[in-house]
Amino acid sequence: DAQRALPVTRIETKPAFLRVWVEPCPVDDSQELGLYYLHIEVPPDAPTFRLPPTQRGAIHLEFDHPRVPTLDLPLDLIVVPRDGA
């Protein structure tokens, strides 16, 4: 694609407590290649979380790009306390 920049304009997550961000790869030629990292973080204070087996979480990304307006990713996630309780 001639337009390698992929500016993120909006991020939505299910569950909402996830922290998600996108950044270019820190390689010298990454902007020429158009490579990006997608970071997904479960914060330490996240509540216990589990969806039923028939449901999935989601990450929805919106971009300011003429050919890549959105990206929807399914997410399978279980959050339990560190002590396993």
Side-chain angles (χ1 to χ4, degrees):
D1 196 302
Q3 183 175 335
R4 307 259 186 222
L6 197 59
V8 177
T9 58
R10 184 176 175 164
I11 298 175
E12 292 179 11
T13 66
K14 179 183 175 185
F17 60 75
L18 294 176
R19 296 180 187 150
V20 175
W21 66 99
V22 177
E23 68 181 2
C25 291
V27 180
D28 291 338
D29 59 354
S30 67
Q31 287 301 324
E32 293 177 24
L33 297 175
L35 299 177
Y36 286 81
Y37 284 119
L38 172 63
H39 299 273
I40 304 168
E41 179 181 314
V42 177
D45 61 344
T48 299
F49 177 83
R50 182 175 191 174
L51 287 171
T54 58
Q55 296 181 16
R56 291 188 183 240
I59 298 172
H60 173 78
L61 302 159
E62 295 181 9
F63 305 101
D64 183 15
H65 191 282
R67 286 165 297 287
V68 186
T70 63
L71 176 63
D72 290 300
L73 301 168
L75 181 68
D76 194 5
L77 174 75
I78 297 173
V79 178
V80 296
R82 285 186 184 252
D83 62 8

Coordinates of all heavy atoms in Angstrom, one line a residue:
D1 N 0.8 -1.2 0.0 CA 0.0 0.0 0.0 C 0.9 1.2 0.0 O 1.9 1.3 0.7 CB -0.9 0.0 1.2 CG -2.0 1.0 1.1 OD1 -1.8 2.2 0.9 OD2 -3.2 0.5 1.2
A2 N 0.5 2.2 -0.8 CA 1.3 3.4 -0.9 C 1.3 4.2 0.4 O 2.2 4.9 0.8 CB 0.9 4.3 -2.1
Q3 N 0.2 4.2 1.1 CA 0.0 4.9 2.4 C 0.3 3.9 3.5 O -0.5 3.1 3.9 CB -1.4 5.5 2.5 CG -1.5 6.3 3.8 CD -2.8 7.0 3.9 OE1 -3.5 7.2 2.9 NE2 -3.2 7.3 5.1
R4 N 1.5 4.0 4.1 CA 2.0 3.1 5.1 C 1.5 3.5 6.5 O 1.4 2.6 7.4 CB 3.5 2.9 5.1 CG 4.0 2.6 3.8 CD 4.4 1.1 3.7 NE 5.0 0.9 2.4 CZ 4.8 -0.1 1.7 NH1 3.9 -1.0 2.1 NH2 5.4 -0.3 0.5
A5 N 1.3 4.8 6.7 CA 0.9 5.2 8.0 C -0.5 4.7 8.3 O -1.4 4.7 7.5 CB 0.9 6.7 8.1
L6 N -0.8 4.3 9.6 CA -2.0 3.8 10.0 C -2.5 4.5 11.3 O -2.4 3.9 12.4 CB -1.9 2.2 10.2 CG -3.2 1.4 10.2 CD1 -4.0 1.5 9.0 CD2 -2.8 0.0 10.5
P7 N -2.9 5.7 11.2 CA -3.3 6.4 12.4 C -4.6 5.9 13.0 O -5.6 5.7 12.3 CB -3.6 7.9 11.9 CG -3.0 7.9 10.5 CD -3.0 6.5 10.0
V8 N -4.5 5.5 14.3 CA -5.6 5.0 15.0 C -6.5 6.2 15.5 O -6.0 7.1 16.1 CB -5.2 4.2 16.2 CG1 -6.4 3.7 17.0 CG2 -4.3 3.0 15.7
T9 N -7.8 6.1 15.2 CA -8.7 7.2 15.6 C -9.6 6.7 16.8 O -10.1 7.6 17.5 CB -9.6 7.6 14.5 OG1 -10.3 6.6 13.9 CG2 -8.7 8.3 13.4
R10 N -9.8 5.4 16.9 CA -10.6 4.9 18.0 C -10.3 3.5 18.3 O -10.0 2.7 17.4 CB -12.1 5.0 17.6 CG -13.1 4.7 18.6 CD -14.5 4.9 18.1 NE -15.4 4.4 19.0 CZ -16.7 4.8 19.0 NH1 -17.2 5.6 18.1 NH2 -17.5 4.3 19.9
I11 N -10.4 3.1 19.6 CA -10.3 1.7 20.0 C -11.4 1.4 21.0 O -11.6 2.2 22.0 CB -8.9 1.5 20.7 CG1 -7.7 1.8 19.8 CG2 -8.8 0.1 21.3 CD1 -6.4 1.7 20.4
E12 N -12.1 0.3 20.8 CA -13.1 -0.2 21.7 C -12.7 -1.6 22.1 O -12.3 -2.4 21.2 CB -14.5 -0.2 21.1 CG -15.0 1.2 20.8 CD -16.4 1.2 20.2 OE1 -17.0 0.1 20.1 OE2 -16.8 2.2 19.7
T13 N -12.9 -2.0 23.3 CA -12.6 -3.4 23.7 C -13.8 -4.0 24.5 O -14.6 -3.2 25.2 CB -11.4 -3.4 24.6 OG1 -11.6 -2.7 25.8 CG2 -10.2 -2.9 23.9
K14 N -13.9 -5.3 24.4 CA -14.9 -6.0 25.3 C -14.1 -7.2 25.8 O -13.7 -8.0 25.0 CB -16.1 -6.5 24.4 CG -17.1 -7.3 25.3 CD -18.2 -7.8 24.4 CE -19.1 -8.7 25.2 NZ -20.1 -9.4 24.4
P15 N -13.8 -7.1 27.1 CA -14.2 -6.3 28.1 C -13.6 -4.9 28.1 O -12.5 -4.7 27.6 CB -13.8 -7.0 29.4 CG -12.6 -7.8 29.0 CD -12.9 -8.2 27.5
A16 N -14.3 -3.9 28.6 CA -13.8 -2.5 28.6 C -12.6 -2.2 29.4 O -11.9 -1.2 29.1 CB -15.0 -1.6 29.0
F17 N -12.2 -3.1 30.4 CA -11.1 -2.8 31.2 C -9.7 -3.0 30.5 O -8.7 -2.6 31.0 CB -11.1 -3.6 32.5 CG -11.1 -5.1 32.4 CD1 -10.0 -5.7 32.0 CD2 -12.3 -5.8 32.6 CE1 -10.0 -7.1 31.9 CE2 -12.3 -7.1 32.5 CZ -11.1 -7.8 32.1
L18 N -9.7 -3.6 29.4 CA -8.4 -3.8 28.7 C -7.8 -2.5 28.2 O -8.5 -1.6 27.8 CB -8.7 -4.7 27.4 CG -9.1 -6.2 27.7 CD1 -9.4 -6.9 26.4 CD2 -8.0 -6.9 28.5
R19 N -6.5 -2.5 28.2 CA -5.8 -1.3 27.7 C -5.1 -1.8 26.4 O -4.3 -2.7 26.4 CB -4.7 -0.9 28.7 CG -5.3 -0.4 30.0 CD -4.2 0.1 30.9 NE -4.8 0.4 32.2 CZ -4.2 0.3 33.4 NH1 -3.0 -0.2 33.4 NH2 -4.8 0.6 34.5
V20 N -5.5 -1.1 25.3 CA -5.0 -1.5 24.0 C -4.5 -0.3 23.3 O -5.1 0.8 23.3 CB -6.2 -2.2 23.1 CG1 -5.7 -2.4 21.7 CG2 -6.7 -3.4 23.8
W21 N -3.3 -0.4 22.7 CA -2.7 0.6 21.9 C -1.9 0.0 20.7 O -1.5 -1.1 20.8 CB -1.9 1.6 22.7 CG -0.7 1.1 23.3 CD1 0.6 1.2 22.8 CD2 -0.5 0.4 24.5 NE1 1.5 0.6 23.7 CE2 0.8 0.1 24.7 CE3 -1.4 -0.1 25.5 CZ2 1.3 -0.6 25.8 CZ3 -0.9 -0.8 26.6 CH2 0.4 -1.1 26.7
V22 N -1.7 0.8 19.7 CA -1.0 0.4 18.5 C 0.2 1.4 18.3 O 0.0 2.6 18.5 CB -1.9 0.5 17.2 CG1 -1.2 0.2 16.0 CG2 -3.1 -0.4 17.4
E23 N 1.4 0.9 18.0 CA 2.5 1.7 17.7 C 3.4 1.1 16.6 O 3.4 -0.1 16.5 CB 3.3 2.0 19.0 CG 4.0 0.8 19.5 CD 4.8 1.0 20.8 OE1 4.8 2.2 21.3 OE2 5.5 0.1 21.3
P24 N 4.0 2.0 15.9 CA 4.9 1.5 14.8 C 6.1 0.6 15.4 O 6.5 0.9 16.5 CB 5.5 2.7 14.1 CG 4.6 3.8 14.6 CD 4.0 3.4 15.9
C25 N 6.5 -0.4 14.7 CA 7.7 -1.1 15.1 C 8.9 -0.2 15.2 O 9.1 0.6 14.2 CB 7.9 -2.3 14.1 SG 6.7 -3.6 14.2
P26 N 9.7 -0.3 16.2 CA 10.8 0.6 16.3 C 12.1 0.2 15.5 O 13.2 0.4 15.9 CB 11.1 0.5 17.8 CG 10.7 -0.8 18.2 CD 9.5 -1.2 17.4
V27 N 11.8 -0.4 14.4 CA 12.9 -0.8 13.5 C 13.2 0.3 12.5 O 12.2 1.0 12.1 CB 12.6 -2.1 12.7 CG1 13.7 -2.5 11.8 CG2 12.3 -3.2 13.7
D28 N 14.4 0.6 12.1 CA 14.7 1.8 11.3 C 13.8 1.8 10.0 O 13.4 2.9 9.6 CB 16.2 1.7 10.9 CG 17.1 2.0 12.1 OD1 16.6 2.6 13.1 OD2 18.3 1.7 12.0
D29 N 13.6 0.7 9.4 CA 12.8 0.7 8.2 C 11.3 0.3 8.4 O 10.6 0.1 7.4 CB 13.4 -0.2 7.1 CG 13.5 -1.6 7.6 OD1 13.2 -1.9 8.8 OD2 13.9 -2.5 6.8
S30 N 10.8 0.4 9.6 CA 9.5 -0.1 9.9 C 8.4 0.8 9.2 O 7.4 0.3 8.8 CB 9.2 -0.2 11.4 OG 9.2 1.1 12.0
Q31 N 8.7 2.1 9.2 CA 7.7 3.0 8.5 C 7.6 2.7 7.0 O 6.6 2.8 6.4 CB 8.1 4.4 8.7 CG 7.8 4.9 10.1 CD 6.3 4.8 10.5 OE1 5.4 4.9 9.7 NE2 6.1 4.4 11.8
E32 N 8.7 2.3 6.4 CA 8.7 1.9 5.0 C 7.9 0.6 4.9 O 7.3 0.4 3.8 CB 10.1 1.7 4.5 CG 10.9 3.1 4.4 CD 12.3 2.9 4.0 OE1 12.6 1.9 3.3 OE2 13.2 3.7 4.3
L33 N 8.0 -0.3 5.8 CA 7.3 -1.6 5.7 C 5.9 -1.5 6.2 O 5.1 -2.4 5.8 CB 8.1 -2.6 6.6 CG 9.5 -3.0 6.2 CD1 10.1 -3.9 7.2 CD2 9.5 -3.6 4.8
G34 N 5.6 -0.5 7.0 CA 4.2 -0.4 7.5 C 3.9 -1.4 8.6 O 2.7 -1.9 8.7
L35 N 4.9 -1.8 9.4 CA 4.7 -2.8 10.5 C 4.3 -2.1 11.8 O 4.9 -1.0 12.1 CB 5.9 -3.6 10.7 CG 6.4 -4.4 9.5 CD1 7.7 -5.2 9.8 CD2 5.3 -5.4 9.1
Y36 N 3.4 -2.7 12.5 CA 2.9 -2.1 13.8 C 2.9 -3.2 14.9 O 2.6 -4.4 14.6 CB 1.6 -1.5 13.6 CG 1.6 -0.2 12.9 CD1 1.7 -0.2 11.5 CD2 1.6 1.0 13.5 CE1 1.7 1.0 10.8 CE2 1.6 2.2 12.8 CZ 1.7 2.2 11.5 OH 1.8 3.4 10.8
Y37 N 3.0 -2.8 16.1 CA 2.7 -3.7 17.3 C 1.3 -3.3 17.8 O 0.9 -2.2 17.9 CB 3.7 -3.4 18.4 CG 5.1 -4.0 18.2 CD1 6.2 -3.1 18.1 CD2 5.3 -5.3 18.1 CE1 7.5 -3.7 18.0 CE2 6.5 -5.9 17.9 CZ 7.6 -5.0 17.8 OH 8.9 -5.5 17.7
L38 N 0.6 -4.4 18.2 CA -0.7 -4.2 18.8 C -0.4 -4.7 20.3 O -0.1 -5.9 20.5 CB -1.8 -5.1 18.2 CG -3.1 -5.2 18.9 CD1 -3.8 -3.8 19.0 CD2 -4.0 -6.2 18.2
H39 N -0.6 -3.8 21.2 CA -0.4 -4.1 22.6 C -1.7 -4.3 23.3 O -2.6 -3.5 23.1 CB 0.4 -2.9 23.3 CG 1.7 -2.6 22.8 ND1 2.9 -3.3 23.2 CD2 2.1 -1.8 21.8 CE1 3.9 -2.8 22.5 NE2 3.5 -1.9 21.7
I40 N -1.8 -5.3 24.1 CA -3.0 -5.6 24.9 C -2.6 -5.9 26.3 O -1.8 -6.8 26.6 CB -3.7 -6.9 24.3 CG1 -4.0 -6.7 22.8 CG2 -5.0 -7.2 25.1 CD1 -4.5 -8.0 22.1
E41 N -3.1 -5.1 27.2 CA -2.7 -5.2 28.6 C -3.9 -5.4 29.5 O -4.9 -4.7 29.3 CB -2.0 -3.9 29.0 CG -1.6 -3.9 30.5 CD -0.9 -2.6 30.8 OE1 0.0 -2.1 30.1 OE2 -1.3 -2.0 31.9
V42 N -3.8 -6.4 30.4 CA -4.8 -6.6 31.4 C -4.3 -5.9 32.7 O -3.3 -6.2 33.2 CB -5.1 -8.1 31.7 CG1 -6.1 -8.2 32.8 CG2 -5.5 -8.8 30.5
P43 N -5.0 -4.8 33.1 CA -4.4 -4.0 34.2 C -4.5 -4.9 35.5 O -5.3 -5.8 35.7 CB -5.4 -2.8 34.3 CG -6.6 -3.1 33.5 CD -6.2 -4.2 32.6
P44 N -3.6 -4.6 36.5 CA -3.5 -5.4 37.7 C -4.8 -5.3 38.5 O -5.1 -6.3 39.3 CB -2.4 -4.7 38.5 CG -1.6 -3.8 37.6 CD -2.5 -3.5 36.4
D45 N -5.6 -4.3 38.4 CA -6.8 -4.2 39.1 C -8.0 -4.7 38.4 O -9.2 -4.4 38.7 CB -7.0 -2.7 39.6 CG -7.2 -1.8 38.4 OD1 -6.8 -2.1 37.3 OD2 -7.7 -0.6 38.7
A46 N -7.8 -5.4 37.3 CA -8.9 -5.9 36.5 C -9.8 -6.9 37.3 O -9.3 -7.6 38.1 CB -8.4 -6.6 35.2
P47 N -11.1 -6.8 37.1 CA -12.0 -7.7 37.8 C -11.9 -9.1 37.2 O -11.4 -9.3 36.1 CB -13.4 -7.2 37.5 CG -13.2 -6.5 36.2 CD -11.8 -5.9 36.2
T48 N -12.3 -10.1 38.0 CA -12.4 -11.5 37.5 C -13.3 -11.5 36.3 O -14.4 -10.8 36.4 CB -12.9 -12.4 38.6 OG1 -12.0 -12.4 39.7 CG2 -13.1 -13.8 38.1
F49 N -13.0 -12.2 35.3 CA -13.7 -12.1 34.0 C -13.7 -13.4 33.3 O -12.6 -14.0 33.2 CB -13.2 -11.0 33.1 CG -13.8 -10.8 31.8 CD1 -15.0 -10.1 31.7 CD2 -13.3 -11.5 30.7 CE1 -15.6 -10.0 30.5 CE2 -13.9 -11.4 29.5 CZ -15.1 -10.6 29.3
R50 N -14.9 -13.8 32.8 CA -15.0 -15.0 32.0 C -16.3 -14.9 31.2 O -17.3 -14.8 31.8 CB -14.9 -16.3 32.8 CG -14.9 -17.5 31.9 CD -14.7 -18.7 32.7 NE -14.5 -19.8 31.7 CZ -14.2 -21.0 32.1 NH1 -14.1 -21.3 33.3 NH2 -14.1 -22.0 31.2
L51 N -16.2 -15.0 29.9 CA -17.4 -15.1 29.1 C -17.9 -16.5 28.9 O -17.0 -17.5 29.0 CB -17.2 -14.5 27.7 CG -17.0 -13.0 27.6 CD1 -16.5 -12.6 26.2 CD2 -18.3 -12.3 27.9
P52 N -19.1 -16.8 28.7 CA -19.6 -18.1 28.4 C -18.9 -18.7 27.2 O -18.4 -17.9 26.3 CB -21.1 -18.0 28.1 CG -21.5 -16.7 28.7 CD -20.2 -15.8 28.7
P53 N -18.7 -20.0 27.1 CA -18.0 -20.6 25.9 C -18.5 -20.2 24.6 O -17.7 -20.2 23.6 CB -18.1 -22.1 26.2 CG -18.5 -22.2 27.6 CD -19.2 -21.0 28.0
T54 N -19.7 -19.8 24.5 CA -20.3 -19.4 23.1 C -20.1 -18.0 22.8 O -20.4 -17.6 21.7 CB -21.8 -19.7 23.1 OG1 -22.4 -19.0 24.2 CG2 -22.1 -21.2 23.3
Q55 N -19.5 -17.2 23.7 CA -19.2 -15.8 23.4 C -17.7 -15.5 23.4 O -16.9 -16.2 24.0 CB -19.9 -14.9 24.5 CG -21.4 -15.0 24.5 CD -22.0 -14.1 25.6 OE1 -21.3 -13.2 26.1 NE2 -23.2 -14.3 25.9
R56 N -17.4 -14.4 22.8 CA -16.0 -13.9 22.7 C -16.0 -12.4 23.0 O -16.9 -11.7 22.8 CB -15.4 -14.1 21.3 CG -15.2 -15.6 21.0 CD -14.4 -15.7 19.7 NE -14.3 -17.1 19.4 CZ -13.2 -17.8 19.3 NH1 -12.1 -17.1 19.4 NH2 -13.2 -19.0 19.0
G57 N -14.8 -12.0 23.5 CA -14.6 -10.6 23.7 C -14.2 -10.1 22.3 O -14.2 -10.8 21.3
A58 N -13.8 -8.8 22.3 CA -13.5 -8.2 21.0 C -12.6 -7.0 21.1 O -12.6 -6.3 22.2 CB -14.7 -7.8 20.2
I59 N -11.8 -6.7 20.1 CA -11.0 -5.5 20.0 C -11.4 -4.9 18.7 O -11.4 -5.5 17.6 CB -9.5 -5.7 20.0 CG1 -9.1 -6.3 21.4 CG2 -8.7 -4.4 19.8 CD1 -7.7 -6.8 21.4
H60 N -11.9 -3.6 18.7 CA -12.4 -2.9 17.5 C -11.4 -1.7 17.4 O -11.3 -0.9 18.3 CB -13.8 -2.5 17.6 CG -14.3 -1.6 16.5 ND1 -14.6 -2.1 15.3 CD2 -14.4 -0.3 16.5 CE1 -15.0 -1.1 14.5 NE2 -14.9 0.0 15.2
L61 N -10.8 -1.6 16.2 CA -9.9 -0.5 15.9 C -10.4 0.2 14.7 O -10.8 -0.4 13.7 CB -8.5 -1.1 15.6 CG -7.8 -1.9 16.7 CD1 -6.7 -2.8 16.1 CD2 -7.2 -1.0 17.7
E62 N -10.4 1.6 14.8 CA -10.7 2.4 13.7 C -9.5 3.2 13.3 O -8.8 3.7 14.1 CB -11.9 3.3 14.0 CG -13.2 2.5 14.3 CD -14.4 3.4 14.6 OE1 -14.3 4.6 14.5 OE2 -15.4 2.8 15.0
F63 N -9.3 3.4 12.0 CA -8.1 4.1 11.4 C -8.5 5.2 10.5 O -9.6 5.2 9.9 CB -7.3 3.1 10.6 CG -6.9 1.9 11.4 CD1 -7.5 0.7 11.2 CD2 -5.8 1.9 12.3 CE1 -7.2 -0.5 11.9 CE2 -5.5 0.8 13.0 CZ -6.1 -0.4 12.8
D64 N -7.6 6.2 10.4 CA -7.8 7.2 9.4 C -6.9 6.8 8.2 O -5.8 7.3 8.0 CB -7.3 8.6 10.0 CG -7.4 9.7 9.0 OD1 -8.2 9.6 8.0 OD2 -6.8 10.8 9.2
H65 N -7.5 5.9 7.5 CA -6.8 5.3 6.3 C -7.9 5.0 5.2 O -8.9 4.4 5.6 CB -6.0 4.0 6.7 CG -5.1 3.5 5.7 ND1 -5.6 2.8 4.5 CD2 -3.8 3.6 5.5 CE1 -4.5 2.5 3.8 NE2 -3.4 3.0 4.4
P66 N -7.6 5.4 4.0 CA -8.7 5.2 3.0 C -9.0 3.7 2.6 O -10.1 3.4 2.2 CB -8.1 5.9 1.7 CG -6.6 5.9 2.0 CD -6.4 6.0 3.5
R67 N -8.1 2.8 2.8 CA -8.3 1.4 2.5 C -8.4 0.5 3.7 O -8.8 -0.7 3.5 CB -7.3 0.9 1.5 CG -7.5 1.5 0.1 CD -6.3 1.3 -0.8 NE -5.1 2.0 -0.3 CZ -4.9 3.3 -0.4 NH1 -5.8 4.1 -0.8 NH2 -3.7 3.8 0.1
V68 N -8.1 1.0 4.9 CA -8.2 0.1 6.1 C -9.0 1.0 7.1 O -8.4 1.5 8.0 CB -6.8 -0.2 6.6 CG1 -6.9 -1.2 7.8 CG2 -5.9 -0.8 5.5
P69 N -10.3 1.1 7.0 CA -11.0 1.9 7.9 C -11.2 1.3 9.3 O -11.2 2.0 10.3 CB -12.4 2.1 7.2 CG -12.5 0.9 6.3 CD -11.1 0.5 5.9
T70 N -11.3 -0.1 9.4 CA -11.5 -0.7 10.7 C -10.8 -2.1 10.7 O -10.5 -2.7 9.6 CB -13.0 -0.9 11.0 OG1 -13.6 -1.8 10.0 CG2 -13.8 0.4 11.0
L71 N -10.6 -2.6 11.9 CA -10.1 -4.0 12.1 C -10.8 -4.5 13.3 O -10.8 -3.9 14.4 CB -8.6 -4.0 12.3 CG -8.0 -5.3 12.6 CD1 -8.2 -6.3 11.4 CD2 -6.5 -5.1 12.9
D72 N -11.5 -5.6 13.2 CA -12.2 -6.3 14.3 C -11.5 -7.6 14.6 O -11.4 -8.5 13.7 CB -13.7 -6.5 14.0 CG -14.4 -5.2 14.0 OD1 -14.4 -4.5 15.0 OD2 -15.0 -4.8 12.9
L73 N -11.1 -7.8 15.9 CA -10.4 -9.0 16.3 C -11.2 -9.7 17.4 O -11.5 -9.0 18.4 CB -9.0 -8.6 16.8 CG -8.1 -7.9 15.8 CD1 -6.9 -7.4 16.5 CD2 -7.7 -8.9 14.7
P74 N -11.4 -11.0 17.3 CA -12.1 -11.7 18.4 C -11.0 -11.9 19.5 O -9.8 -11.9 19.3 CB -12.5 -13.0 17.7 CG -11.5 -13.2 16.6 CD -11.2 -11.8 16.1
L75 N -11.5 -12.1 20.7 CA -10.7 -12.2 21.9 C -11.2 -13.3 22.8 O -12.4 -13.2 23.1 CB -10.6 -10.9 22.6 CG -9.7 -10.8 23.8 CD1 -8.3 -10.9 23.4 CD2 -10.0 -9.4 24.5
D76 N -10.4 -14.2 23.2 CA -10.8 -15.2 24.2 C -9.9 -14.9 25.4 O -8.7 -14.9 25.3 CB -10.5 -16.6 23.6 CG -11.2 -17.7 24.4 OD1 -11.9 -17.4 25.4 OD2 -10.9 -18.9 24.1
L77 N -10.6 -14.7 26.5 CA -9.8 -14.2 27.7 C -10.5 -14.6 29.0 O -11.7 -14.6 29.1 CB -9.8 -12.6 27.7 CG -9.2 -11.9 28.8 CD1 -7.7 -12.0 28.8 CD2 -9.6 -10.4 28.8
I78 N -9.7 -15.1 29.9 CA -10.2 -15.4 31.3 C -9.2 -14.6 32.2 O -8.0 -14.7 32.1 CB -10.1 -16.9 31.6 CG1 -11.1 -17.6 30.7 CG2 -10.5 -17.2 33.0 CD1 -11.0 -19.1 30.8
V79 N -9.8 -13.9 33.2 CA -9.0 -13.2 34.2 C -9.4 -13.8 35.6 O -10.5 -13.8 36.0 CB -9.3 -11.7 34.2 CG1 -8.5 -11.0 35.2 CG2 -9.0 -11.1 32.8
V80 N -8.4 -14.2 36.3 CA -8.5 -14.8 37.6 C -7.5 -14.0 38.5 O -6.5 -13.6 38.1 CB -8.3 -16.3 37.7 CG1 -9.4 -17.0 36.9 CG2 -7.0 -16.7 37.2
P81 N -7.8 -14.0 39.8 CA -6.9 -13.4 40.8 C -5.6 -14.1 40.8 O -5.5 -15.3 40.5 CB -7.6 -13.5 42.1 CG -9.0 -13.7 41.8 CD -9.1 -14.4 40.5
R82 N -4.5 -13.5 41.1 CA -3.2 -14.1 41.1 C -3.1 -15.3 42.1 O -2.4 -16.3 41.8 CB -2.1 -13.1 41.5 CG -1.7 -12.2 40.4 CD -0.6 -11.3 40.8 NE -0.3 -10.4 39.8 CZ 0.8 -10.4 38.9 NH1 1.7 -11.4 39.1 NH2 0.9 -9.5 38.0
D83 N -3.9 -15.2 43.1 CA -3.8 -16.3 44.1 C -4.7 -17.5 43.6 O -4.8 -18.5 44.3 CB -4.3 -15.9 45.5 CG -5.7 -15.3 45.5 OD1 -6.4 -15.5 44.5 OD2 -6.1 -14.8 46.6
G84 N -5.4 -17.4 42.5 CA -6.2 -18.5 41.9 C -7.5 -18.6 42.6 O -8.3 -19.5 42.2
A85 N -7.9 -17.7 43.5 CA -9.2 -17.8 44.2 C -10.4 -17.5 43.2 O -10.3 -16.9 42.3 CB -9.2 -16.9 45.4

